[in-house]
Amino acid sequence: MNTLEHIAIIMDGNGRWAKQRNLPRTMGHKKGVEKVREIAIYANELGLKCLTLYAFSTENWKRPEQEVNYLMSLPKVFFSSYLKELMANNIRVTMIGDLKRIPEEARKIFTDAIEKTSGNTGMILNFALNYGGRDEIIRACQKYAQDYKDGITSNLDEETFKNYLMTSDLPEVDLMIRTSNEIRISNFLLYQLAYSEMMFVETFWPDFSCQDLDKCIAEYQMRKRNFGAVK
Ligand code: FPP
């Protein structure tokens, strides 16, 4: 059995899911929020340690203003509906990304959810919000350079650098899943995915089911992970 502690998901295809049904794109995102709840509760039941979800990238600001505003309203929709359930399931909420540019209301809602769930010991539900892999690496380098200048550190190796990333407290990403049949990483966890298994599934995120997650996990367990070595 391969170790499976951390799954990261690029939740793609909300827009196309809505288009297929002649609905506005925002309806795809709305359905996508319900999926977040379903998959998070299920992943926690499976005993996963961490689930990272790509909710908004540093590039998503390029979308039409109306869509960006809608996406920024989703934390409120999500946590006002499901925070109680997350608490009852012992799920801890965390986030990676730059919160500064996030509108105040969404920022407060996130900060509140992170604080309220901070004592929970079940799965970590980690949202990547206003997150970009390149941005994260640059910030890590800047922080390291400052610490070096201040005499706090003098040695740069992989073990040290890990501590400067936004994921420093999280386990290694074992499996990365992207929905909607797009075969790319889109600036997601660039450093962390070095040895993750990748899975690209056709299903649009609003249609992604617990059974689909089971299938991904079953396929993951068939993969031979050598991490560059010969076994
Ligand atoms: C990509 O689909 C999806 C997003 C940019 C947003 C994903 C966000 C959620 C599912 C909800 C997040 C929840 C919280 C609590 C913050 P797309 O719009 O690019 O789809 P398309 O490629 O079909 O157009």
Side-chain angles (χ1 to χ4, degrees):
M1 286 272 274
N2 290 320
T3 312
L4 182 58
E5 293 188 339
H6 188 173
I7 297 179
I9 306 183
I10 302 180
M11 308 179 287
D12 198 8
N14 294 348
R16 278 163 286 165
W17 180 92
K19 197 171 174 208
Q20 265 185 351
R21 289 159 179 80
N22 282 320
L23 294 168
R25 292 176 54 80
T26 47
M27 288 303 101
H29 296 314
K30 186 165 182 267
K31 194 78 187 164
V33 170
E34 292 166 23
K35 254 321 139 175
V36 169
R37 176 215 155 256
E38 185 185 329
I39 297 297
I41 299 288
Y42 184 63
N44 180 51
E45 278 166 13
L46 292 180
L48 200 72
K49 281 203 177 142
C50 181
L51 177 69
T52 295
L53 301 176
Y54 206 5
F56 193 89
S57 77
T58 45
E59 286 71 36
N60 285 150
W61 297 107
K62 294 179 201 156
R63 294 187 175 211
E65 195 185 341
Q66 188 226 359
E67 184 169 337
V68 169
N69 290 342
Y70 189 80
L71 287 168
M72 287 301 147
S73 74
L74 295 181
K76 186 175 180 186
V77 173
F78 180 76
F79 289 114
S80 61
S81 311
Y82 307 129
L83 184 58
K84 262 198 194 145
E85 200 181 356
L86 297 178
M87 284 300 291
N89 282 272
N90 198 22
I91 292 173
R92 187 174 143 212
V93 176
T94 60
M95 66 142 312
I96 53 172
D98 183 11
L99 262 188
K100 272 194 230 106
R101 208 178 152 188
I102 302 295
E104 198 183 346
E105 191 184 34
R107 194 167 62 227
K108 273 196 181 147
I109 284 163
F110 250 104
T111 318
D112 180 60
I114 290 169
E115 207 180 286
K116 286 209 171 105
T117 61
S118 61
N120 292 351
T121 53
M123 187 186 76
I124 295 172
L125 175 59
N126 179 43
F127 287 94
L129 193 70
N130 192 19
Y131 171 87
R134 289 180 174 176
D135 177 66
E136 178 191 28
I137 292 168
I138 290 168
R139 281 167 195 271
C141 292
Q142 287 168 339
K143 246 167 59 194
Y144 179 83
Q146 189 58 51
D147 280 358
Y148 185 87
K149 225 168 113 191
D150 295 344
I152 294 167
T153 183
S154 59
N155 162 47
L156 184 55
D157 55 21
E158 289 187 15
E159 236 3 84
T160 314
F161 192 66
K162 233 169 86 172
N163 297 325
Y164 287 87
L165 293 167
M166 293 165 178
T167 51
S168 57
D169 294 332
L170 305 177
E172 292 282 336
V173 179
D174 299 301
L175 171 62
M176 196 288 292
I177 302 170
R178 181 173 190 147
T179 58
S180 92
N181 213 19
E182 300 295 340
I183 320 293
R184 57 177 174 271
I185 292 179
S186 300
N187 207 10
F188 187 45
L189 301 173
L190 295 183
Y191 189 90
Q192 296 83 346
L193 296 181
Y195 272 101
S196 312
E197 294 298 318
M198 309 263 177
M199 240 161 258
F200 299 92
V201 299
E202 282 189 16
T203 321
F204 294 144
W205 174 250
D207 284 332
F208 189 77
S209 63
C210 299
Q211 289 74 21
D212 290 323
L213 184 62
D214 283 340
K215 273 194 226 159
C216 289
I217 294 174
E219 191 184 326
Y220 168 80
Q221 289 302 356
M222 306 282 286
R223 301 252 180 112
K224 224 170 129 212
R225 303 189 78 192
N226 290 341
F227 299 96
V230 177
K231 278 198 185 148

PDB file of all heavy atoms in Angstrom, residues 11-16 25 29 32-33 55 60 63 67 71 74 78 127 205, ligand 1:
ATOM      1  N   MET A  11     -10.030  21.976  -8.763  1.00  0.00           N
ATOM      2  CA  MET A  11     -11.474  21.779  -8.977  1.00  0.00           C
ATOM      3  C   MET A  11     -11.872  22.529 -10.248  1.00  0.00           C
ATOM      4  O   MET A  11     -12.320  23.656 -10.198  1.00  0.00           O
ATOM      5  CB  MET A  11     -12.251  22.340  -7.787  1.00  0.00           C
ATOM      6  CG  MET A  11     -11.772  21.825  -6.433  1.00  0.00           C
ATOM      7  SD  MET A  11     -12.700  22.534  -5.067  1.00  0.00           S
ATOM      8  CE  MET A  11     -12.087  24.211  -5.002  1.00  0.00           C
ATOM      9  N   ASP A  12     -11.714  21.882 -11.390  1.00  0.00           N
ATOM     10  CA  ASP A  12     -11.932  22.586 -12.659  1.00  0.00           C
ATOM     11  C   ASP A  12     -13.220  22.094 -13.336  1.00  0.00           C
ATOM     12  O   ASP A  12     -13.658  20.964 -13.119  1.00  0.00           O
ATOM     13  CB  ASP A  12     -10.713  22.330 -13.564  1.00  0.00           C
ATOM     14  CG  ASP A  12     -10.633  23.328 -14.698  1.00  0.00           C
ATOM     15  OD1 ASP A  12     -11.412  24.300 -14.709  1.00  0.00           O
ATOM     16  OD2 ASP A  12      -9.790  23.129 -15.592  1.00  0.00           O
ATOM     17  N   GLY A  13     -13.784  22.961 -14.166  1.00  0.00           N
ATOM     18  CA  GLY A  13     -14.933  22.561 -15.000  1.00  0.00           C
ATOM     19  C   GLY A  13     -16.266  23.110 -14.542  1.00  0.00           C
ATOM     20  O   GLY A  13     -17.308  22.732 -15.087  1.00  0.00           O
ATOM     21  N   ASN A  14     -16.250  23.997 -13.557  1.00  0.00           N
ATOM     22  CA  ASN A  14     -17.523  24.566 -13.073  1.00  0.00           C
ATOM     23  C   ASN A  14     -18.253  25.318 -14.185  1.00  0.00           C
ATOM     24  O   ASN A  14     -19.469  25.195 -14.344  1.00  0.00           O
ATOM     25  CB  ASN A  14     -17.277  25.549 -11.925  1.00  0.00           C
ATOM     26  CG  ASN A  14     -16.746  24.877 -10.691  1.00  0.00           C
ATOM     27  OD1 ASN A  14     -16.757  23.653 -10.596  1.00  0.00           O
ATOM     28  ND2 ASN A  14     -16.283  25.668  -9.733  1.00  0.00           N
ATOM     29  N   GLY A  15     -17.474  26.101 -14.954  1.00  0.00           N
ATOM     30  CA  GLY A  15     -18.063  26.913 -16.026  1.00  0.00           C
ATOM     31  C   GLY A  15     -18.682  26.035 -17.104  1.00  0.00           C
ATOM     32  O   GLY A  15     -19.811  26.268 -17.542  1.00  0.00           O
ATOM     33  N   ARG A  16     -17.942  25.006 -17.519  1.00  0.00           N
ATOM     34  CA  ARG A  16     -18.456  24.126 -18.578  1.00  0.00           C
ATOM     35  C   ARG A  16     -19.646  23.303 -18.097  1.00  0.00           C
ATOM     36  O   ARG A  16     -20.578  23.036 -18.847  1.00  0.00           O
ATOM     37  CB  ARG A  16     -17.334  23.197 -19.084  1.00  0.00           C
ATOM     38  CG  ARG A  16     -16.435  23.884 -20.101  1.00  0.00           C
ATOM     39  CD  ARG A  16     -15.145  23.160 -20.285  1.00  0.00           C
ATOM     40  NE  ARG A  16     -14.265  23.377 -19.139  1.00  0.00           N
ATOM     41  CZ  ARG A  16     -13.187  22.653 -18.893  1.00  0.00           C
ATOM     42  NH1 ARG A  16     -12.871  21.644 -19.684  1.00  0.00           N
ATOM     43  NH2 ARG A  16     -12.425  22.918 -17.853  1.00  0.00           N
ATOM     44  N   ARG A  25     -22.344  30.799 -15.533  1.00  0.00           N
ATOM     45  CA  ARG A  25     -21.145  30.153 -14.969  1.00  0.00           C
ATOM     46  C   ARG A  25     -21.188  30.103 -13.444  1.00  0.00           C
ATOM     47  O   ARG A  25     -20.722  29.142 -12.821  1.00  0.00           O
ATOM     48  CB  ARG A  25     -19.887  30.911 -15.413  1.00  0.00           C
ATOM     49  CG  ARG A  25     -19.564  30.818 -16.879  1.00  0.00           C
ATOM     50  CD  ARG A  25     -18.360  31.698 -17.218  1.00  0.00           C
ATOM     51  NE  ARG A  25     -17.215  31.389 -16.388  1.00  0.00           N
ATOM     52  CZ  ARG A  25     -16.393  30.359 -16.588  1.00  0.00           C
ATOM     53  NH1 ARG A  25     -16.575  29.561 -17.608  1.00  0.00           N
ATOM     54  NH2 ARG A  25     -15.369  30.143 -15.776  1.00  0.00           N
ATOM     55  N   HIS A  29     -20.194  27.339 -10.120  1.00  0.00           N
ATOM     56  CA  HIS A  29     -19.402  27.559  -8.904  1.00  0.00           C
ATOM     57  C   HIS A  29     -20.238  27.234  -7.664  1.00  0.00           C
ATOM     58  O   HIS A  29     -19.739  26.686  -6.686  1.00  0.00           O
ATOM     59  CB  HIS A  29     -18.910  29.009  -8.850  1.00  0.00           C
ATOM     60  CG  HIS A  29     -17.969  29.365  -9.967  1.00  0.00           C
ATOM     61  ND1 HIS A  29     -16.926  28.558 -10.339  1.00  0.00           N
ATOM     62  CD2 HIS A  29     -17.919  30.438 -10.807  1.00  0.00           C
ATOM     63  CE1 HIS A  29     -16.265  29.117 -11.349  1.00  0.00           C
ATOM     64  NE2 HIS A  29     -16.858  30.254 -11.652  1.00  0.00           N
ATOM     65  N   GLY A  32     -20.292  23.763  -7.267  1.00  0.00           N
ATOM     66  CA  GLY A  32     -18.935  23.379  -6.866  1.00  0.00           C
ATOM     67  C   GLY A  32     -18.726  23.501  -5.367  1.00  0.00           C
ATOM     68  O   GLY A  32     -18.017  22.698  -4.757  1.00  0.00           O
ATOM     69  N   VAL A  33     -19.356  24.484  -4.755  1.00  0.00           N
ATOM     70  CA  VAL A  33     -19.248  24.671  -3.299  1.00  0.00           C
ATOM     71  C   VAL A  33     -19.883  23.486  -2.567  1.00  0.00           C
ATOM     72  O   VAL A  33     -19.331  22.967  -1.585  1.00  0.00           O
ATOM     73  CB  VAL A  33     -19.931  25.994  -2.873  1.00  0.00           C
ATOM     74  CG1 VAL A  33     -20.043  26.080  -1.372  1.00  0.00           C
ATOM     75  CG2 VAL A  33     -19.152  27.169  -3.396  1.00  0.00           C
ATOM     76  N   ALA A  55      -9.015  26.884  -4.758  1.00  0.00           N
ATOM     77  CA  ALA A  55     -10.287  27.612  -4.832  1.00  0.00           C
ATOM     78  C   ALA A  55     -10.190  28.883  -5.660  1.00  0.00           C
ATOM     79  O   ALA A  55     -11.171  29.309  -6.274  1.00  0.00           O
ATOM     80  CB  ALA A  55     -10.764  27.955  -3.421  1.00  0.00           C
ATOM     81  N   ASN A  60      -6.687  34.087 -11.339  1.00  0.00           N
ATOM     82  CA  ASN A  60      -8.150  34.166 -11.492  1.00  0.00           C
ATOM     83  C   ASN A  60      -8.698  35.599 -11.412  1.00  0.00           C
ATOM     84  O   ASN A  60      -9.839  35.857 -11.785  1.00  0.00           O
ATOM     85  CB  ASN A  60      -8.876  33.277 -10.465  1.00  0.00           C
ATOM     86  CG  ASN A  60      -8.801  31.801 -10.783  1.00  0.00           C
ATOM     87  OD1 ASN A  60      -8.810  30.949  -9.908  1.00  0.00           O
ATOM     88  ND2 ASN A  60      -8.730  31.471 -12.070  1.00  0.00           N
ATOM     89  N   ARG A  63     -10.428  37.212 -14.485  1.00  0.00           N
ATOM     90  CA  ARG A  63     -11.812  36.896 -14.913  1.00  0.00           C
ATOM     91  C   ARG A  63     -12.695  38.142 -14.837  1.00  0.00           C
ATOM     92  O   ARG A  63     -12.344  39.110 -14.157  1.00  0.00           O
ATOM     93  CB  ARG A  63     -12.371  35.798 -14.015  1.00  0.00           C
ATOM     94  CG  ARG A  63     -11.621  34.512 -14.229  1.00  0.00           C
ATOM     95  CD  ARG A  63     -12.232  33.343 -13.499  1.00  0.00           C
ATOM     96  NE  ARG A  63     -11.504  32.148 -13.871  1.00  0.00           N
ATOM     97  CZ  ARG A  63     -12.004  30.935 -13.949  1.00  0.00           C
ATOM     98  NH1 ARG A  63     -13.258  30.717 -13.648  1.00  0.00           N
ATOM     99  NH2 ARG A  63     -11.262  29.917 -14.320  1.00  0.00           N
ATOM    100  N   GLU A  67     -17.734  37.758 -12.103  1.00  0.00           N
ATOM    101  CA  GLU A  67     -17.404  36.382 -11.696  1.00  0.00           C
ATOM    102  C   GLU A  67     -16.452  36.385 -10.495  1.00  0.00           C
ATOM    103  O   GLU A  67     -16.602  35.585  -9.565  1.00  0.00           O
ATOM    104  CB  GLU A  67     -16.803  35.600 -12.865  1.00  0.00           C
ATOM    105  CG  GLU A  67     -16.553  34.138 -12.474  1.00  0.00           C
ATOM    106  CD  GLU A  67     -16.212  33.227 -13.647  1.00  0.00           C
ATOM    107  OE1 GLU A  67     -16.562  33.553 -14.795  1.00  0.00           O
ATOM    108  OE2 GLU A  67     -15.593  32.177 -13.393  1.00  0.00           O
ATOM    109  N   LEU A  71     -17.068  34.639  -6.958  1.00  0.00           N
ATOM    110  CA  LEU A  71     -16.134  33.678  -6.348  1.00  0.00           C
ATOM    111  C   LEU A  71     -15.743  34.126  -4.932  1.00  0.00           C
ATOM    112  O   LEU A  71     -15.594  33.308  -4.029  1.00  0.00           O
ATOM    113  CB  LEU A  71     -14.888  33.512  -7.227  1.00  0.00           C
ATOM    114  CG  LEU A  71     -15.096  32.717  -8.525  1.00  0.00           C
ATOM    115  CD1 LEU A  71     -13.897  32.854  -9.459  1.00  0.00           C
ATOM    116  CD2 LEU A  71     -15.360  31.240  -8.229  1.00  0.00           C
ATOM    117  N   LEU A  74     -18.113  33.161  -2.171  1.00  0.00           N
ATOM    118  CA  LEU A  74     -18.283  31.732  -1.866  1.00  0.00           C
ATOM    119  C   LEU A  74     -17.853  31.318  -0.451  1.00  0.00           C
ATOM    120  O   LEU A  74     -18.503  30.461   0.153  1.00  0.00           O
ATOM    121  CB  LEU A  74     -17.562  30.868  -2.911  1.00  0.00           C
ATOM    122  CG  LEU A  74     -18.142  30.961  -4.328  1.00  0.00           C
ATOM    123  CD1 LEU A  74     -17.373  30.061  -5.276  1.00  0.00           C
ATOM    124  CD2 LEU A  74     -19.627  30.603  -4.337  1.00  0.00           C
ATOM    125  N   PHE A  78     -20.167  29.062   1.793  1.00  0.00           N
ATOM    126  CA  PHE A  78     -19.679  27.769   2.283  1.00  0.00           C
ATOM    127  C   PHE A  78     -19.707  27.682   3.811  1.00  0.00           C
ATOM    128  O   PHE A  78     -20.286  26.761   4.388  1.00  0.00           O
ATOM    129  CB  PHE A  78     -18.253  27.520   1.760  1.00  0.00           C
ATOM    130  CG  PHE A  78     -17.678  26.207   2.211  1.00  0.00           C
ATOM    131  CD1 PHE A  78     -18.080  25.019   1.617  1.00  0.00           C
ATOM    132  CD2 PHE A  78     -16.724  26.150   3.223  1.00  0.00           C
ATOM    133  CE1 PHE A  78     -17.563  23.797   2.038  1.00  0.00           C
ATOM    134  CE2 PHE A  78     -16.194  24.931   3.638  1.00  0.00           C
ATOM    135  CZ  PHE A  78     -16.619  23.755   3.043  1.00  0.00           C
ATOM    136  N   PHE A 127      -7.553  25.351   2.048  1.00  0.00           N
ATOM    137  CA  PHE A 127      -7.957  26.052   0.827  1.00  0.00           C
ATOM    138  C   PHE A 127      -6.785  26.843   0.264  1.00  0.00           C
ATOM    139  O   PHE A 127      -6.129  27.587   0.995  1.00  0.00           O
ATOM    140  CB  PHE A 127      -9.101  27.024   1.127  1.00  0.00           C
ATOM    141  CG  PHE A 127     -10.415  26.335   1.368  1.00  0.00           C
ATOM    142  CD1 PHE A 127     -10.828  26.022   2.658  1.00  0.00           C
ATOM    143  CD2 PHE A 127     -11.237  25.985   0.298  1.00  0.00           C
ATOM    144  CE1 PHE A 127     -12.035  25.372   2.887  1.00  0.00           C
ATOM    145  CE2 PHE A 127     -12.452  25.342   0.518  1.00  0.00           C
ATOM    146  CZ  PHE A 127     -12.844  25.031   1.810  1.00  0.00           C
ATOM    147  N   TRP A 205     -15.906  19.287 -12.063  1.00  0.00           N
ATOM    148  CA  TRP A 205     -15.921  19.288 -10.595  1.00  0.00           C
ATOM    149  C   TRP A 205     -17.340  19.147  -9.997  1.00  0.00           C
ATOM    150  O   TRP A 205     -17.530  18.347  -9.080  1.00  0.00           O
ATOM    151  CB  TRP A 205     -15.193  20.517 -10.040  1.00  0.00           C
ATOM    152  CG  TRP A 205     -15.313  20.637  -8.552  1.00  0.00           C
ATOM    153  CD1 TRP A 205     -16.023  21.556  -7.848  1.00  0.00           C
ATOM    154  CD2 TRP A 205     -14.740  19.753  -7.572  1.00  0.00           C
ATOM    155  NE1 TRP A 205     -15.922  21.321  -6.498  1.00  0.00           N
ATOM    156  CE2 TRP A 205     -15.139  20.216  -6.303  1.00  0.00           C
ATOM    157  CE3 TRP A 205     -13.924  18.599  -7.649  1.00  0.00           C
ATOM    158  CZ2 TRP A 205     -14.753  19.590  -5.111  1.00  0.00           C
ATOM    159  CZ3 TRP A 205     -13.543  17.975  -6.455  1.00  0.00           C
ATOM    160  CH2 TRP A 205     -13.963  18.464  -5.216  1.00  0.00           C
TER     161      TRP A 205
HETATM  162  C1  FPP B   1     -12.491  26.405 -12.027  1.00  0.00           C
HETATM  163  O1  FPP B   1     -13.574  26.157 -12.903  1.00  0.00           O
HETATM  164  C2  FPP B   1     -12.991  26.707 -10.694  1.00  0.00           C
HETATM  165  C3  FPP B   1     -12.734  27.834  -9.979  1.00  0.00           C
HETATM  166  C4  FPP B   1     -11.885  28.911 -10.496  1.00  0.00           C
HETATM  167  C5  FPP B   1     -13.328  28.046  -8.651  1.00  0.00           C
HETATM  168  C6  FPP B   1     -13.405  26.837  -7.816  1.00  0.00           C
HETATM  169  C7  FPP B   1     -14.036  27.137  -6.514  1.00  0.00           C
HETATM  170  C8  FPP B   1     -14.937  26.343  -5.918  1.00  0.00           C
HETATM  171  C9  FPP B   1     -15.384  25.065  -6.481  1.00  0.00           C
HETATM  172  C10 FPP B   1     -15.515  26.724  -4.589  1.00  0.00           C
HETATM  173  C11 FPP B   1     -14.533  27.197  -3.585  1.00  0.00           C
HETATM  174  C12 FPP B   1     -15.083  27.179  -2.246  1.00  0.00           C
HETATM  175  C13 FPP B   1     -14.710  27.989  -1.231  1.00  0.00           C
HETATM  176  C14 FPP B   1     -15.275  27.767   0.093  1.00  0.00           C
HETATM  177  C15 FPP B   1     -13.790  29.123  -1.384  1.00  0.00           C
HETATM  178  P1  FPP B   1     -13.728  27.072 -14.188  1.00  0.00           P
HETATM  179  O2  FPP B   1     -14.592  28.221 -13.845  1.00  0.00           O
HETATM  180  O3  FPP B   1     -12.397  27.455 -14.722  1.00  0.00           O
HETATM  181  O4  FPP B   1     -14.451  26.097 -15.170  1.00  0.00           O
HETATM  182  P2  FPP B   1     -14.293  26.079 -16.762  1.00  0.00           P
HETATM  183  O5  FPP B   1     -12.859  25.713 -17.055  1.00  0.00           O
HETATM  184  O6  FPP B   1     -15.239  25.001 -17.189  1.00  0.00           O
HETATM  185  O7  FPP B   1     -14.679  27.422 -17.263  1.00  0.00           O
END
